[in-house]
Amino acid sequence: MGTGANLYHDMHHAMNMPLYRGSPFSRDVELRRFGVVRIYDILLDYNDVLMKTDDILRKIIIQKEFQKEMGTAELHYHIGKYCAEFERQCGIKDASVLAAAYRAGVPCYTSSPGDSTIGMNVAGVELRGNKLRINPSIDVNETTAIVLDAKMRKKKTGVLLMGGGSPKNFILQTEPQIQEVLRIKEIGHDFFLQFTDARPDTGGLSGATPSEAVSWGKIDPNQLPDAVVAYIDSTVALPLLTHYALARKAPRKLKRLYDRRAQMMEKLTAEYFKHNKDATPIG
Amino acid sequence: MGTGANLYHDMHHAMNMPLYRGSPFSRDVELRRFGVVRIYDILLDYNDVLMKTDDILRKIIIQKEFQKEMGTAELHYHIGKYCAEFERQCGIKDASVLAAAYRAGVPCYTSSPGDSTIGMNVAGVELRGNKLRINPSIDVNETTAIVLDAKMRKKKTGVLLMGGGSPKNFILQTEPQIQEVLRIKEIGHDFFLQFTDARPDTGGLSGATPSEAVSWGKIDPNQLPDAVVAYIDSTVALPLLTHYALARKAPRKLKRLYDRRAQMMEKLTAEYFKHNKDATPIG
Amino acid sequence: MGTGANLYHDMHHAMNMPLYRGSPFSRDVELRRFGVVRIYDILLDYNDVLMKTDDILRKIIIQKEFQKEMGTAELHYHIGKYCAEFERQCGIKDASVLAAAYRAGVPCYTSSPGDSTIGMNVAGVELRGNKLRINPSIDVNETTAIVLDAKMRKKKTGVLLMGGGSPKNFILQTEPQIQEVLRIKEIGHDFFLQFTDARPDTGGLSGATPSEAVSWGKIDPNQLPDAVVAYIDSTVALPLLTHYALARKAPRKLKRLYDRRAQMMEKLTAEYFKHNKDATPIG
Amino acid sequence: MGTGANLYHDMHHAMNMPLYRGSPFSRDVELRRFGVVRIYDILLDYNDVLMKTDDILRKIIIQKEFQKEMGTAELHYHIGKYCAEFERQCGIKDASVLAAAYRAGVPCYTSSPGDSTIGMNVAGVELRGNKLRINPSIDVNETTAIVLDAKMRKKKTGVLLMGGGSPKNFILQTEPQIQEVLRIKEIGHDFFLQFTDARPDTGGLSGATPSEAVSWGKIDPNQLPDAVVAYIDSTVALPLLTHYALARKAPRKLKRLYDRRAQMMEKLTAEYFKHNKDATPIG
């Protein structure tokens, strides 16, 4: 779960394109004149990186496997397949998140499919008749199905949040989707760990506490004492957490949730109709 | 342009449902036990407000006018029509944003259509066969068409941002969509005013400066000296700005952009093919 | 109560020296080369403003009335007298806080007397034998005496905080000074209003809540529901609050607390010995 | 360089008094009723820790060695001597910063000597005739002498800042004290490393950038590219930095700056008169 921008710019890495370390205090009017694009302290070339990645992305998404309605997990899986191939051609390894997720069967969702250069190009080729349609409801139901499947198999579920924003709510709303919309009795996620600089006092969801989430049924009230918000930059927190995890635990067998989507969706649908006898088919 | 949550909770106001002023320091485990839901310092009843609004929303979105593919402007327009009717029935005025936007023909977009109780219920009824499909590409192209239409008529365009997050990028990406994806020559928005607590140093888009946006072609470099970021809570800034605007300027004729979407999309499509002679139809 | 820097730079205003509105994004290496000093978005001349103010300040603090031990209220009162005279000579009004405080008999304290260009120059002339000695204990006891005097006359006391830092603790510690050090029974301040961007989670005193202050006896627990922290820039909050106060209330008679210091200190000392029969004189 | 509160509460550790890990979300009115004091997420007993430490502190500062005028380095050195003895009596090691600094000859300054329970008790016993006088000018001149001494011996100087506030300015003002007040030619500190959550946009000194400091002559412009501000909590940054330093470098010989204060002050005074032929003695 992330924003499309993270995954779009990941494609540069898959193709081994040059990104430069710059300064956040650059003179951006000059950068614009010289065709340099800035993301905080990272610099990239407008023509050789941005426009070129767009060209390649457009060629990918008009391929046959994209000519249908899908959720973003499937969209990113198919793009990841190309990224894995780019890595192979460039002779590089572990450069691309999309490629790694493709290989490991980890589904990558985004809550805002139109918002990013991926979404922009999907919309662009639609003007030319492309048949790809992103359906956000597929994402809502699939993410919910993953949680419900785990709960029904007596497994624990949790959320790990780098930052906040729309992705935070999207991953947390899986519980209300089960309880409030599908009307299946449930008690909330077991773990909550957020790294953020968003404070509760702004009133937004980014900084909302796990305690507030308890009032919505998003978090199991019994697990609240262990729910943690750490006010720290993700670029510091993630390496520390990753190093800790790798040092303490042996690698586990991959869950390959991507491959199990259809099966989990079937289970969700069956449970939904079981708990909603009055839910008549529409149309 | 906002998150779906803002618009979902707006429905409570349209139906004159009670929301209570509480405290951000509530005991949420007890709130949960008593069926009270908290949004920072606002309290609402789980059954009488949340579940009831969900019920009504589900009855709305299975109606005939929703049985098709659409963007979020159209989705919110149709829901706004019901909100306007709720207001009338309740004998209240100017309580609902959705109702006001419906009456004024202001299109309301969200960049994350699946992320909110609206998106959750749209996904829920899809399990029962509902035909409503939200297509994010429609939003990408419509918002871009609004900007292109203004620019072609030599009007100025600008962005006014309360907070940041995915909606910030979605509204700013209209310029790269014109220049980078549709390949139509353009120089960027004329105005940029953001109220936020997001600082640039986190590296995220929420706190990215207008100067950084210049390097992307999102903002006209000549207008940069007038671009403003004010680090202030929106609940303080918006009333001050609104009061200032109302005190200084007489009301203007409504633009009714919602009604002009089809016409603006036609213009965008024509321009696109004019600037991309090599853009062959797909499929 | 403030930092010395606020009061030092106030002297420029008293002498009608030019300060320029610049940009926080200046090229500071060039500014340094051209003798321009920057305070965020304010620019001043190194020689004509900074060095000249220093020269004048040094001439002031070697005058006869400064050749003794004193607290910062007295220090600033005497400097304020000169500022009032500068204003008169320049034909300007209400430009200087120090001059206004001098005329109104409002005592101005700083918790960090050595930290600022005032403190630096006081230290500088001490090398030449100047007899001025700032005694911080006088400030601790005088500020406490002001609170105790009000409480004994059944008046309410409160703290109004712009920002946080050392001045915040200094003004709040008046209550522990009464209760914990002087061992006089008391229940805490009646009002607490802070404008700040400091959040509690950093663990520092700047962002500590009024609730935490209750545990120390700094705030009356019964008044806690009315204690307010507003996360807002002081440059927005202070004009709003001032406008509100002036619009709602007629001017009140000046308290001239500066003139009553000796009398309040006597009362404090008497109370101290009354509540500490075992407090034998030292030396 | 720090606030007095850090050093006052350090005394509890020297005496092995119990401090408890609590929660920042405590019910403070109840804590007050039960005599428990809270510092964010640390809990301590009002009588057994706070009042008892005060009692002991008062007995210390009325001893013979305190009956004179001094700076805070000397004040803390003498208190540190008692802390070292407390540690010995309790059979504990490396618990107290004051004790460690005493043993290592590291001078500890505070820019706000009256602001803390140490300052409060110093002021309290002054009512009984105690002769201890804290002179902030001694601190201003001693800290400046340390920098000047290093510069004259062609050593590099730098500032390492945890947080901001008054201590930040106090340590940085050593350079303007040399250049602007004592009028000795100098070019600024060689290193600048700050860990803070204070952003520049608030306009305060806490968040002021090293670049702004260059315009004041506080930082050598040539070293600016290496000056770093890291927006991170000190409780994360300090262990990382310390671990890094210990892992990379062998222990160095102690500088014992405390012991060299008199000698460095002599040098400062000589330099001052050498560069200010017109500086006539006062009085």
Side-chain angles (χ1 to χ4, degrees):
Chain A
M1 174 64 51
T3 62
N6 292 135
L7 301 179
Y8 167 75
H9 292 297
D10 178 68
M11 291 182 68
H12 311 324
H13 295 296
M15 295 183 276
N16 210 13
M17 287 171 165
L19 278 78
Y20 296 98
R21 181 171 156 188
S23 156
F25 309 109
S26 304
R27 303 189 191 164
D28 293 297
V29 175
E30 287 178 32
L31 290 186
R32 173 70 175 164
R33 200 179 311 136
F34 291 108
V36 177
V37 168
R38 180 168 72 85
I39 304 172
Y40 190 54
D41 58 355
I42 299 168
L43 303 178
L44 46 147
D45 193 275
Y46 187 75
N47 289 311
D48 295 347
V49 176
L50 207 68
M51 292 303 257
K52 198 171 154 194
T53 303
D54 279 25
D55 265 347
I56 292 166
L57 176 60
R58 276 191 294 268
K59 278 181 193 137
I60 292 173
I61 56 177
I62 61 174
Q63 296 304 311
K64 206 178 144 201
E65 66 267 40
F66 291 90
Q67 302 309 309
K68 50 175 282 215
E69 179 185 87
M70 60 178 74
T72 59
E74 190 173 349
L75 173 73
H76 297 139
Y77 179 83
H78 288 311
I79 299 177
K81 189 181 54 189
Y82 287 87
C83 288
E85 175 59 19
F86 293 146
E87 279 193 347
R88 203 192 56 78
Q89 287 171 8
C90 298
I92 55 177
K93 269 184 65 174
D94 294 333
S96 157
V97 169
L98 278 169
Y102 163 75
R103 284 189 298 260
V106 172
C108 297
Y109 294 95
T110 180
S111 60
S112 49
D115 166 45
S116 81
T117 316
I118 295 180
M120 284 156 62
N121 280 297
V122 168
V125 293
E126 196 172 303
L127 296 176
R128 288 164 58 199
N130 203 48
K131 299 285 177 295
L132 171 56
R133 289 294 179 282
I134 305 300
N135 180 355
S137 293
I138 294 176
D139 289 3
V140 174
N141 286 328
E142 278 184 12
T143 52
T144 305
I146 291 171
V147 175
L148 185 67
D149 173 73
K151 293 292 192 185
M152 288 178 69
R153 295 186 297 118
K154 309 288 180 205
K155 303 284 186 188
K156 289 184 186 284
T157 66
V159 294
L160 171 59
L161 306 156
M162 306 282 155
S166 172
K168 177 182 177 184
N169 189 62
F170 200 78
I171 198 164
L172 280 171
Q173 77 177 13
T174 46
E175 279 289 348
Q177 180 72 356
I178 293 175
Q179 303 166 45
E180 177 190 332
V181 175
L182 307 182
R183 293 175 173 264
I184 303 169
K185 229 179 161 59
E186 233 291 291
I187 53 166
H189 287 291
D190 302 279
F191 303 114
F192 179 106
L193 173 55
Q194 182 178 15
F195 302 117
T196 189
D197 74 325
R199 265 65 184 194
D201 56 77
T202 59
L205 198 275
S206 290
T209 59
S211 183
E212 179 175 322
V214 161
S215 82
W216 286 82
K218 292 169 177 175
I219 305 291
D220 178 354
N222 300 307
Q223 310 298 337
L224 188 54
D226 292 329
V228 169
V229 181
Y231 297 102
I232 182 171
D233 199 294
S234 296
T235 60
V236 176
L238 191 53
L240 285 175
L241 185 73
T242 307
H243 184 82
Y244 177 84
L246 292 174
R248 287 301 187 89
K249 291 283 177 192
R252 294 188 301 193
K253 195 168 165 292
L254 290 173
K255 287 201 175 72
R256 300 205 65 89
L257 291 175
Y258 181 81
D259 305 337
R260 297 182 50 232
R261 287 173 310 127
Q263 173 200 336
M264 294 187 291
M265 273 300 294
E266 254 175 64
K267 202 191 275 189
L268 174 90
T269 309
E271 281 297 306
Y272 170 57
F273 281 105
K274 200 171 99 187
H275 287 82
N276 293 271
K277 301 288 184 199
D278 57 335
T280 50
I282 301 165
Chain B
M1 175 62 53
T3 62
N6 292 135
L7 301 179
Y8 167 74
H9 293 297
D10 178 68
M11 292 182 67
H12 312 323
H13 295 295
M15 295 183 275
N16 210 14
M17 288 172 165
L19 279 78
Y20 296 98
R21 181 171 157 188
S23 157
F25 309 110
S26 303
R27 303 186 191 166
D28 292 297
V29 175
E30 287 178 33
L31 291 186
R32 173 70 175 163
R33 199 180 311 137
F34 290 109
V36 177
V37 167
R38 181 166 74 84
I39 305 172
Y40 190 54
D41 59 355
I42 299 168
L43 303 179
L44 46 148
D45 193 275
Y46 188 75
N47 288 312
D48 296 348
V49 176
L50 206 68
M51 293 302 257
K52 198 172 154 192
T53 303
D54 279 24
D55 265 346
I56 291 166
L57 176 60
R58 276 192 294 267
K59 277 180 193 138
I60 291 174
I61 57 178
I62 60 173
Q63 296 304 310
K64 206 179 144 200
E65 65 268 39
F66 291 90
Q67 302 308 309
K68 49 175 283 212
E69 178 185 87
M70 60 178 75
T72 59
E74 189 173 350
L75 173 74
H76 297 139
Y77 179 82
H78 288 311
I79 299 177
K81 188 180 55 190
Y82 286 88
C83 287
E85 175 60 18
F86 293 145
E87 278 194 346
R88 203 192 55 78
Q89 286 171 8
C90 298
I92 56 178
K93 269 185 65 175
D94 294 334
S96 157
V97 169
L98 279 168
Y102 163 77
R103 284 188 299 259
V106 172
C108 296
Y109 294 95
T110 180
S111 60
S112 49
D115 167 43
S116 80
T117 316
I118 294 180
M120 284 156 61
N121 280 298
V122 167
V125 294
E126 197 172 302
L127 296 177
R128 289 164 58 198
N130 203 48
K131 299 286 178 295
L132 171 56
R133 289 294 178 281
I134 305 300
N135 180 355
S137 293
I138 295 176
D139 289 3
V140 174
N141 287 328
E142 278 184 13
T143 51
T144 305
I146 291 171
V147 175
L148 185 68
D149 172 74
K151 293 292 192 185
M152 288 178 68
R153 295 185 296 118
K154 309 289 180 203
K155 304 286 186 186
K156 289 184 186 284
T157 65
V159 294
L160 172 59
L161 306 156
M162 307 281 155
S166 171
K168 178 182 176 185
N169 189 62
F170 200 78
I171 199 163
L172 280 171
Q173 76 176 14
T174 46
E175 280 290 346
Q177 181 71 356
I178 293 175
Q179 303 166 45
E180 177 189 333
V181 176
L182 309 182
R183 294 174 173 264
I184 303 170
K185 229 179 160 59
E186 233 291 292
I187 53 165
H189 287 290
D190 303 279
F191 304 113
F192 179 105
L193 175 55
Q194 183 179 14
F195 302 116
T196 189
D197 73 326
R199 265 65 184 194
D201 57 76
T202 58
L205 197 277
S206 291
T209 58
S211 184
E212 179 176 323
V214 160
S215 82
W216 285 82
K218 293 170 178 175
I219 306 290
D220 179 354
N222 301 306
Q223 310 298 337
L224 188 53
D226 293 329
V228 169
V229 181
Y231 297 103
I232 181 172
D233 199 295
S234 297
T235 59
V236 176
L238 190 54
L240 285 175
L241 185 73
T242 307
H243 185 81
Y244 178 84
L246 292 174
R248 285 304 188 87
K249 291 283 177 191
R252 294 189 302 193
K253 197 169 164 291
L254 290 173
K255 287 199 173 72
R256 300 206 65 90
L257 291 175
Y258 182 81
D259 305 337
R260 297 182 50 233
R261 288 173 309 128
Q263 171 202 336
M264 294 185 293
M265 274 300 293
E266 256 176 62
K267 200 190 277 190
L268 174 90
T269 310
E271 281 297 305
Y272 170 57
F273 282 105
K274 200 171 98 186
H275 287 82
N276 293 272
K277 299 289 183 199
D278 56 338
T280 50
I282 301 165
Chain C
M1 175 63 53
T3 62
N6 292 135
L7 301 178
Y8 168 74
H9 293 296
D10 180 68
M11 292 181 67
H12 311 323
H13 295 296
M15 294 183 277
N16 210 14
M17 287 172 165
L19 280 78
Y20 297 97
R21 180 171 157 188
S23 156
F25 310 110
S26 303
R27 303 187 192 165
D28 293 297
V29 175
E30 287 178 33
L31 291 186
R32 174 69 174 165
R33 199 180 312 135
F34 290 108
V36 177
V37 167
R38 181 167 73 84
I39 305 172
Y40 189 55
D41 58 355
I42 300 168
L43 303 178
L44 48 147
D45 194 274
Y46 188 76
N47 289 312
D48 296 347
V49 176
L50 207 68
M51 293 303 257
K52 198 172 154 193
T53 304
D54 279 25
D55 265 347
I56 292 167
L57 177 60
R58 276 191 294 269
K59 277 180 195 137
I60 291 174
I61 57 178
I62 61 173
Q63 297 304 311
K64 207 178 144 201
E65 66 267 40
F66 291 90
Q67 302 307 310
K68 50 174 283 213
E69 178 186 87
M70 60 179 75
T72 59
E74 189 173 350
L75 173 73
H76 297 139
Y77 179 82
H78 287 312
I79 299 176
K81 188 181 56 191
Y82 286 87
C83 288
E85 175 59 18
F86 293 146
E87 277 194 348
R88 204 192 55 77
Q89 287 171 7
C90 298
I92 56 178
K93 268 184 65 172
D94 294 333
S96 157
V97 168
L98 278 169
Y102 163 76
R103 286 189 296 260
V106 172
C108 297
Y109 294 95
T110 180
S111 59
S112 48
D115 167 43
S116 80
T117 315
I118 294 179
M120 284 156 61
N121 280 298
V122 167
V125 293
E126 196 172 304
L127 296 176
R128 290 163 58 198
N130 203 49
K131 298 284 177 297
L132 171 56
R133 289 293 178 281
I134 305 300
N135 180 355
S137 293
I138 295 176
D139 289 2
V140 174
N141 286 328
E142 278 185 11
T143 51
T144 305
I146 292 171
V147 175
L148 185 68
D149 173 73
K151 293 292 193 184
M152 289 178 68
R153 294 186 295 118
K154 310 288 180 203
K155 304 284 184 187
K156 289 185 186 284
T157 66
V159 295
L160 171 60
L161 305 157
M162 307 282 155
S166 172
K168 178 182 176 185
N169 189 62
F170 200 78
I171 198 163
L172 279 171
Q173 76 176 13
T174 47
E175 280 289 346
Q177 181 71 355
I178 293 176
Q179 302 166 47
E180 177 189 333
V181 176
L182 308 182
R183 294 175 173 264
I184 303 170
K185 229 179 162 57
E186 234 289 292
I187 52 165
H189 287 291
D190 302 279
F191 304 113
F192 179 104
L193 174 54
Q194 183 179 15
F195 302 117
T196 189
D197 74 325
R199 265 65 184 194
D201 57 76
T202 58
L205 198 276
S206 290
T209 59
S211 183
E212 179 175 323
V214 161
S215 82
W216 285 82
K218 292 170 178 175
I219 306 290
D220 179 352
N222 301 307
Q223 310 298 336
L224 188 54
D226 292 329
V228 170
V229 181
Y231 297 103
I232 182 171
D233 199 293
S234 296
T235 59
V236 176
L238 191 53
L240 285 175
L241 186 73
T242 307
H243 184 80
Y244 177 83
L246 291 174
R248 286 302 188 86
K249 291 282 177 191
R252 295 188 301 195
K253 197 168 165 292
L254 290 173
K255 287 201 174 71
R256 300 205 65 89
L257 291 175
Y258 181 82
D259 305 338
R260 298 182 48 233
R261 288 172 310 128
Q263 171 202 337
M264 294 185 292
M265 273 300 293
E266 255 176 63
K267 201 190 277 190
L268 174 90
T269 310
E271 281 298 305
Y272 170 58
F273 282 105
K274 200 170 97 187
H275 288 81
N276 293 272
K277 301 289 183 198
D278 56 338
T280 50
I282 301 165
Chain D
M1 175 63 53
T3 62
N6 292 134
L7 302 179
Y8 167 75
H9 293 297
D10 179 69
M11 292 181 68
H12 311 323
H13 295 296
M15 295 183 276
N16 209 14
M17 287 171 166
L19 279 78
Y20 297 98
R21 181 171 156 188
S23 156
F25 309 110
S26 304
R27 305 189 190 163
D28 294 296
V29 175
E30 287 178 32
L31 292 185
R32 174 70 175 164
R33 200 179 311 136
F34 290 107
V36 177
V37 167
R38 181 167 73 86
I39 304 172
Y40 190 53
D41 58 354
I42 299 168
L43 303 178
L44 47 147
D45 193 275
Y46 188 76
N47 288 312
D48 295 348
V49 176
L50 207 69
M51 292 303 257
K52 197 171 155 193
T53 304
D54 279 25
D55 264 347
I56 292 167
L57 176 60
R58 276 191 294 268
K59 276 179 194 139
I60 292 174
I61 57 178
I62 61 175
Q63 296 303 311
K64 207 178 144 200
E65 66 267 41
F66 291 90
Q67 303 307 310
K68 49 175 282 215
E69 179 185 85
M70 60 179 74
T72 60
E74 189 172 351
L75 174 72
H76 296 138
Y77 179 82
H78 288 310
I79 298 177
K81 189 180 53 188
Y82 286 88
C83 288
E85 175 60 18
F86 294 146
E87 278 193 348
R88 203 192 55 77
Q89 287 171 7
C90 297
I92 56 177
K93 269 185 63 174
D94 294 332
S96 158
V97 169
L98 279 169
Y102 163 75
R103 285 189 298 259
V106 172
C108 297
Y109 294 96
T110 180
S111 59
S112 48
D115 167 44
S116 80
T117 316
I118 295 179
M120 284 156 61
N121 280 298
V122 167
V125 294
E126 197 173 303
L127 296 176
R128 289 163 58 197
N130 203 49
K131 297 286 177 295
L132 171 56
R133 289 294 178 282
I134 305 300
N135 180 356
S137 293
I138 295 176
D139 289 2
V140 174
N141 287 328
E142 279 184 12
T143 52
T144 305
I146 292 171
V147 175
L148 185 67
D149 173 72
K151 293 291 192 186
M152 289 179 68
R153 295 185 297 118
K154 308 289 180 204
K155 303 285 187 189
K156 289 184 185 284
T157 66
V159 295
L160 171 58
L161 305 157
M162 307 280 157
S166 172
K168 177 182 177 184
N169 189 62
F170 200 78
I171 198 164
L172 279 171
Q173 77 176 13
T174 46
E175 279 290 347
Q177 180 71 356
I178 292 175
Q179 302 166 47
E180 177 190 332
V181 176
L182 308 182
R183 294 175 172 263
I184 303 170
K185 229 178 162 60
E186 233 289 293
I187 53 165
H189 287 290
D190 302 279
F191 304 113
F192 179 104
L193 175 53
Q194 183 179 14
F195 302 116
T196 189
D197 73 327
R199 266 65 184 195
D201 58 76
T202 59
L205 198 275
S206 290
T209 59
S211 183
E212 179 175 322
V214 161
S215 82
W216 285 82
K218 293 170 177 174
I219 306 290
D220 179 353
N222 301 308
Q223 310 298 336
L224 187 54
D226 292 329
V228 170
V229 181
Y231 298 103
I232 183 172
D233 199 295
S234 297
T235 59
V236 176
L238 191 53
L240 284 175
L241 186 73
T242 307
H243 185 81
Y244 177 83
L246 292 173
R248 287 299 189 89
K249 292 281 178 193
R252 296 188 300 193
K253 196 170 165 291
L254 289 173
K255 288 201 173 71
R256 300 207 64 91
L257 291 174
Y258 182 81
D259 305 337
R260 297 181 50 231
R261 288 172 309 128
Q263 171 202 337
M264 294 185 292
M265 273 299 294
E266 255 176 62
K267 201 191 277 189
L268 174 91
T269 310
E271 281 298 304
Y272 169 58
F273 281 105
K274 199 170 99 188
H275 287 83
N276 294 271
K277 301 289 184 198
D278 55 337
T280 50
I282 301 164

